[in-house]
Amino acid sequence: SRPPPRRAARSRRRPEGKVACGAESGAMPGRGALCLGLLLPVLMGSGSAQPSGCPALCECSEPARTVKCVNRNLTAVPPDLPPYVRSLFITGNPLTDLPAGAFPAQRLPDLASLNLSGNHLRTVEAGSLALPALRQLDLSGNALVSFSPQAFGEGGSPLEELALRGALRDHGVLLSLAALLQSGTLRNLSRLELADNGLLLLPAGMFTALPALRQLDLSNNSLVSLRNVSFQGLGQLQSLNLSDNSLGVLWNSTLAQFRSLPALRHIVLHHNTWVCDCAIEDLVAWLKESDQVEGKEALTCASPDKMLGKALLKINGSDLNCSVPIDLPSQLQTSYVFLGIVLALIGAIFLLVLYLNRKGIKKWMHNIRDACRDHMEGYHYRYEINADPRLTNLSSNSDV
């Protein structure tokens, strides 16, 4: 007798590595619940747009290592920023203060680009920006009133680009920034943007400790002079933007500094209030010989009225009616020298007169001495008479 044939349905085997979650006959009890428990986290993860570790009010991209907290009504820096972030945008928020440790260096070791523009920042405290990898910082569009010179920590900072467009309306903040730049903390800075701040004058020696600076933007301010500004030491400076200011003239001392900077090839001077009198001759001569100024053909006079609109490059000596260039400091120096010569001449004449009349002066002095002596002897005689009673009685009897 032959054994009964096996059923084909039972001879089929499921492919290895696959789990059947259906409710077929013979399935293990509770297998559907087990599969649901395994699939639920996957489904929930695929439906979530935010990666793990992202602040609730921010958008994070771990592949791009970027975090954006834009227009989220933040009043403080989120404390749970992911450690992978390299580019951080916190803009358009009512954020007013950056306290010390606002960006912990240990938690954010790779943060290289920080954009804090368009907030309501007023105070940047010491140690608030002490990040070991920070290369770019944008604080534009804030109303800063306090900026600690120790904001980047006690040691040096790797910062290369600093944007402060429209953030230095307070004069005290400008002085604090000057102290920060002069301290040498930002010796790696290559780009500095100070436009749109209404600056009238810059603190003396503000840029002397920035040997790596290549781009300096001072446009759209109210600068009236660069007399106290030193560009010495900026051997890497390539671009200087001075457009849209109130400059009336550039003096020889400033022009000499421009000539001494070997890398400076882009100077922007348009939209300034150039005063075309005798003092501008040096500037005109420099413009004609220099190739550092961009669009110099468009520079025109703003005053006086007879020169209004005339191109600086077309000015000649006959237009200004000047025989020699006028430089106010040198003119004052000449006046002081002339005054000294006049006083010395008067003194020499006085001594000469005394010498020529020495005999008469000597006789005059002897006469004065004799007169004084006679006068004193008269006083002495009267004193002796008044002091001796006998002489007094004798004088009385003789009178009788």
Side-chain angles (χ1 to χ4, degrees), residues 244-308:
D244 296 283
N245 278 283
S246 300
L247 296 173
V249 67
L250 294 180
W251 298 100
N252 262 333
S253 57
T254 302
L255 300 178
Q257 292 187 63
F258 290 165
R259 293 188 187 98
S260 67
L261 299 177
L264 185 56
R265 287 293 176 268
H266 304 283
I267 303 177
V268 185
L269 295 174
H270 58 261
H271 298 157
N272 277 280
T273 56
W274 303 114
V275 179
C276 296
D277 56 14
C278 295
I280 207 170
E281 277 195 328
D282 293 325
L283 174 59
V284 171
W286 173 71
L287 287 174
K288 291 180 179 179
E289 70 181 20
S290 175
D291 59 352
Q292 296 174 296
V293 181
E294 293 184 357
K296 60 184 179 180
E297 296 81 6
L299 301 180
T300 58
C301 301
S303 63
D305 292 339
K306 65 177 183 178
M307 301 290 288
L308 181 63

Side-chain angles (χ1 to χ4, degrees), residues 54-381:
C54 186
L57 297 177
C58 302
E59 299 177 359
C60 304
S61 173
E62 186 170 358
R65 305 182 71 177
T66 300
V67 175
K68 295 183 179 181
C69 311
V70 180
N71 299 326
R72 295 293 185 172
N73 205 32
L74 296 175
T75 57
V77 177
D80 53 347
L81 293 170
Y84 61 76
V85 61
R86 288 180 60 91
S87 299
L88 175 59
F89 297 82
I90 302 179
T91 62
N93 294 284
L95 184 65
T96 59
D97 181 43
L98 282 186
F103 302 97
Q106 295 181 350
R107 180 175 175 81
L108 305 172
D110 299 327
L111 182 57
S113 178
L114 177 58
N115 191 332
L116 297 172
S117 62
N119 293 298
H120 297 168
L121 280 176
R122 297 176 60 83
T123 304
V124 180
E125 299 181 9
S128 58
L129 298 169
L131 292 163
L134 188 62
R135 298 291 189 277
Q136 299 173 333
L137 174 63
D138 192 346
L139 291 171
S140 301
N142 288 285
L144 296 176
V145 297
S146 176
F147 196 117
S148 173
Q150 290 80 36
F152 295 91
E154 296 296 335
S157 171
L159 192 70
E160 297 176 357
E161 298 183 12
L162 176 59
L164 292 165
R165 180 181 288 269
L168 302 177
R169 297 287 178 173
D170 188 272
H171 184 66
V173 177
L174 178 62
L175 297 179
S176 298
L177 176 65
L180 169 63
L181 298 178
Q182 292 172 335
S183 68
T185 302
L186 303 181
R187 295 186 65 85
N188 296 315
L189 198 66
S190 62
R191 182 175 180 272
L192 178 59
E193 185 176 349
L194 302 177
D196 302 335
N197 285 304
L199 304 177
L200 290 173
L201 293 172
L202 296 175
M206 183 174 180
F207 308 119
T208 54
L210 301 175
L213 192 64
R214 296 185 178 182
Q215 299 178 13
L216 178 57
D217 188 354
L218 294 169
S219 63
N220 200 25
N221 284 292
S222 300
L223 295 174
V224 296
S225 175
L226 298 177
R227 292 298 296 265
N228 61 330
V229 180
S230 175
F231 298 98
Q232 298 296 333
L234 302 182
Q236 303 296 323
L237 188 64
Q238 300 175 357
S239 175
L240 175 62
N241 193 342
L242 293 168
S243 62
D244 296 283
N245 278 283
S246 300
L247 296 173
V249 67
L250 294 180
W251 298 100
N252 262 333
S253 57
T254 302
L255 300 178
Q257 292 187 63
F258 290 165
R259 293 188 187 98
S260 67
L261 299 177
L264 185 56
R265 287 293 176 268
H266 304 283
I267 303 177
V268 185
L269 295 174
H270 58 261
H271 298 157
N272 277 280
T273 56
W274 303 114
V275 179
C276 296
D277 56 14
C278 295
I280 207 170
E281 277 195 328
D282 293 325
L283 174 59
V284 171
W286 173 71
L287 287 174
K288 291 180 179 179
E289 70 181 20
S290 175
D291 59 352
Q292 296 174 296
V293 181
E294 293 184 357
K296 60 184 179 180
E297 296 81 6
L299 301 180
T300 58
C301 301
S303 63
D305 292 339
K306 65 177 183 178
M307 301 290 288
L308 181 63
K310 187 177 182 63
L312 267 61
L313 289 179
K314 296 182 179 180
I315 294 177
N316 51 47
S318 60
D319 295 326
L320 302 176
N321 193 22
C322 301
S323 57
V324 294
I326 295 179
D327 192 346
L328 183 59
S330 62
Q331 194 176 35
L332 292 176
Q333 186 177 6
T334 303
S335 300
Y336 292 146
V337 172
F338 180 74
L339 179 61
I341 294 175
V342 171
L343 293 178
L345 183 61
I346 293 174
I349 294 174
F350 179 74
L351 293 176
L352 181 61
V353 171
L354 292 179
Y355 177 76
L356 295 176
N357 295 276
R358 62 188 183 279
K359 292 182 179 180
I361 293 173
K362 184 177 181 180
K363 184 178 180 180
W364 177 70
M365 293 183 67
H366 286 168
N367 293 336
I368 292 177
R369 183 189 64 182
D370 294 340
C372 291
R373 182 183 296 172
D374 294 341
H375 194 66
M376 293 302 295
E377 287 179 353
Y379 274 114
H380 183 67
Y381 177 73

